[in-house]
């Protein structure tokens, strides 16, 4: 057995989590509090290291935008990273913070590639999570052993090296399925959130969802305020899996019913669990078959579960990790429309099609 929080992870629990798609790689003690300065400093150091690797591999000395996606870092972190890069002789002109839970990195990829005024700009995207200690509830064994720590980064020229072919971002307030206050480490009071700057492709399920979301500091943040403003994030795994599979598959069906593609590459998708990936494909295929009976032909989807043993859901960093795995296995093809799907608990769901316009 392993200790997690104030409870014990039994062999039976470990097996059940493994069957759900999680592999038990989370090993950080519950005494760790990532809100404290030492851990936030560490986040900035790791984030700067990841960004430097992108600069070096791209042979860049300057980037127009540094985007930082995280559910466990302060809103000041991207500025801290930019300062550290400056000390290393690398210039960043603007920073953005995306606090959209697990959807932060993929939402940033979607947004920045479809904003026409950013076309041709050099973008460095860093996704980093430190989801240990009090960021999640250490007494909730299922949740504590679901989320891990990790980081990833990507550099590209917006609108040129990655082309956006269309999609939508759905904001859904659904406290009945999940209890997820926006991590209070970067919470902003609701009255400080501008309510008029949403991109046109953000679709709000209802007024409650609209009032739970806002943009600040040039970035996006979900502010999912719940009844008790509980300091810990908890989830009901089974209901959450079903919620995501149902809503993601429906968003994909809606999108491909009005957009025609003659073939799609292997999709990039956030990996919250194997049941979500498999459930999304199953429900999409069910809907696709029904639409075929009405002469509406939808493309076939290919999503792969690629999380190796010992690697958990690392929130915003997971989709970039998945992308690296797809690239390693030569499943990402240049010049081929590719689904990009992000899902963030709370909830944000976006379904897009992008194209890597470079060899």
């Amino acid at each position: 057995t392993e200790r997690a929080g104030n409870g014990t992870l039994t062999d039976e629990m470990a097996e059940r989590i493994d069957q759900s798609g999680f592999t038990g790689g989370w090993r950080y003690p519950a005494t760790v509090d990532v809100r404290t300065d030492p851990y936030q400093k560490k986040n900035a150091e790791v984030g700067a290291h990841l960004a430097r690797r992108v600069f070096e591999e791209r042979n860049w000395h300057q980037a127009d935008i540094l985007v930082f996606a995280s559910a466990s870092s302060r809103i000041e972190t991207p500025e801290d990273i930019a300062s550290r890069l400056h000390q290393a002789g690398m210039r960043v002109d603007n920073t953005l913070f995306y606090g959209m839970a697990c959807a932060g990195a993929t939402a940033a990829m979607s947004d920045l590639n479809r904003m026409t005024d950013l076309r041709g700009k050099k973008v460095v995207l860093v996704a980093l999570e430190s989801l240990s200690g009090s960021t999640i509830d250490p007494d909730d064994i299922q949740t504590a052993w679901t989320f891990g720590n990790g980081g990833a980064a990507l550099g590209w020229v917006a609108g040129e090296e990655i082309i956006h072919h269309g999609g939508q971002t759905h904001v859904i307030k659904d406290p009945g399925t999940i209890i997820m206050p926006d991590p209070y480490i970067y919470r902003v009071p609701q009255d400080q959130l501008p309510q008029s700057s949403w991109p046109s492709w953000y679709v709000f399920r209802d007024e409650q969802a609209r009032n739970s979301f806002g943009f600040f500091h040039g970035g996006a943040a979900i502010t999912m305020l719940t009844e008790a403003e509980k300091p810990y994030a908890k989830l009901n795994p089974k209901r959450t899996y079903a919620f995501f599979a149902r809503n993601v598959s429906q968003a994909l069906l809606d999108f491909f019913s009005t957009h025609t593609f003659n073939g799609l590459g292997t999709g990039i998708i956030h990996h919250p669990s194997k049941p979500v990936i498999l459930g999304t494909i199953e429900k999409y295929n069910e809907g696709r078959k029904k639409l075929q009976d009405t002469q509406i032909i939808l493309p076939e989807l290919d999503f792969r579960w690629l999380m190796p043993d010992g690697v958990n859901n690392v929130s915003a960093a997971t989709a970039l990790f998945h992308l690296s795995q797809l690239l390693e296995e030569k499943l990402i093809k240049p010049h081929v429309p590719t689904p990009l799907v992000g899902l963030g608990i709370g909830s944000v769901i976006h379904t897009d099609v992008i194209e890597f316009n470079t060899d």
Side-chain angles (χ1 to χ4, degrees):
T1 60
E2 295 278 354
R3 294 290 295 178
N6 294 323
T8 300
L9 184 74
T10 64
D11 291 338
E12 181 184 1
M13 174 66 78
E15 182 178 359
R16 189 156 68 247
I17 293 173
D18 183 61
Q19 290 172 352
S20 299
F22 305 119
T23 53
W26 190 82
R27 290 289 188 277
Y28 289 81
T31 53
V32 172
D33 186 346
V34 299
R35 295 168 298 168
T36 57
D37 290 342
Y39 287 94
Q40 290 302 305
K41 179 182 177 182
K42 187 67 174 177
N43 282 356
E45 290 174 349
V46 175
H49 170 74
L50 291 167
R52 279 197 301 271
R53 289 188 59 184
V54 170
F55 273 84
E56 290 165 358
E57 291 187 19
R58 295 304 311 261
N59 196 26
W60 289 351
H61 300 286
Q62 171 270 343
D64 297 286
I65 303 172
L66 169 75
V67 187
F68 185 72
S70 180
S72 55
S73 297
R74 294 175 181 161
I75 58 176
E76 298 85 4
T77 302
E79 286 292 335
D80 194 347
I81 292 173
S83 176
R84 293 169 186 273
L85 292 172
H86 179 74
Q87 293 172 17
M90 302 170 181
R91 194 180 89 234
V92 171
D93 294 339
N94 298 282
T95 61
L96 295 174
F97 178 84
Y98 264 62
M100 300 172 73
C102 299
T106 47
M109 285 182 66
S110 169
D111 289 354
L112 271 65
N113 283 306
R114 67 190 302 168
M115 293 177 176
T116 55
D117 58 328
L118 296 183
R119 183 178 178 85
K121 302 293 186 182
K122 294 178 182 177
V123 178
V124 175
L125 169 61
V126 177
L128 176 69
E129 296 295 6
S130 182
L131 288 164
S132 53
S134 62
T135 304
I136 53 179
D137 186 349
D139 298 321
D140 180 352
I141 305 296
Q142 175 78 49
T143 305
W145 282 75
T146 295
F147 296 99
N149 291 6
L154 177 69
W156 77 96
V157 178
E160 295 182 1
E161 293 182 336
I162 299 179
I163 298 171
H164 189 276
H165 286 299
Q168 285 186 325
T169 299
H170 298 263
V171 182
I172 306 167
K173 173 85 170 191
D174 198 281
T177 2
I178 39 188
I179 301 172
M180 176 63 182
D182 193 33
Y184 58 106
I185 197 167
Y186 59 73
R187 178 173 296 148
V188 173
Q190 196 162 358
D191 59 5
Q192 294 182 24
L193 293 172
Q195 299 292 306
S196 59
S197 58
W198 304 298
S200 60
W201 51 87
Y202 277 70
V203 178
F204 295 88
R205 173 72 59 88
D206 51 32
E207 196 61 26
Q208 188 179 31
R210 185 180 298 275
N211 292 332
S212 300
F213 188 87
F215 284 84
F216 70 98
H217 285 253
I222 326 168
T223 57
M224 296 300 179
L225 309 179
T226 58
E227 56 192 84
E229 287 290 322
K230 297 181 179 180
Y232 294 122
K234 291 187 178 182
L235 58 85
N236 179 316
K238 186 175 181 179
R239 293 173 67 186
T240 303
Y241 300 161
F243 171 83
F244 275 134
R246 180 176 68 252
N247 283 278
V248 173
S249 59
Q250 189 59 55
L252 289 165
L253 290 166
D254 292 343
F255 177 71
F256 289 119
S257 294
T258 55
H259 295 73
T260 302
F261 292 91
N262 293 324
L264 297 170
T266 302
I268 305 160
I269 186 170
H270 171 61
H271 277 47
S273 72
K274 188 178 290 186
V276 172
I277 306 298
L278 298 180
T280 296
I281 294 173
E282 179 182 358
K283 291 184 178 299
Y284 175 83
N285 286 336
E286 289 174 358
R288 181 170 174 254
K289 185 176 180 181
K290 291 178 182 177
L291 288 172
Q292 284 177 337
D293 296 337
T294 64
Q295 307 305 310
I296 298 176
I297 307 301
L298 271 63
E300 187 174 347
L301 288 183
D302 178 18
F303 290 128
R304 308 287 181 93
W305 174 262
L306 291 176
M307 296 296 276
D309 289 344
V311 178
N312 280 333
N313 175 358
V314 286
S315 190
T318 311
L320 293 187
F321 177 84
H322 180 221
L323 173 58
S324 71
Q325 294 292 104
L326 290 169
L327 288 166
E328 188 174 315
E329 299 193 21
K330 302 189 185 318
L331 292 171
I332 291 291
K333 306 295 183 184
H335 315 298
V336 174
T338 301
L340 174 69
V341 178
L343 24 151
I345 197 168
S347 303
V348 170
I349 294 171
H350 67 85
T351 49
D352 298 86
V353 175
I354 62 173
E355 179 181 327
F356 292 93
N357 192 36
T358 174
D359 296 327

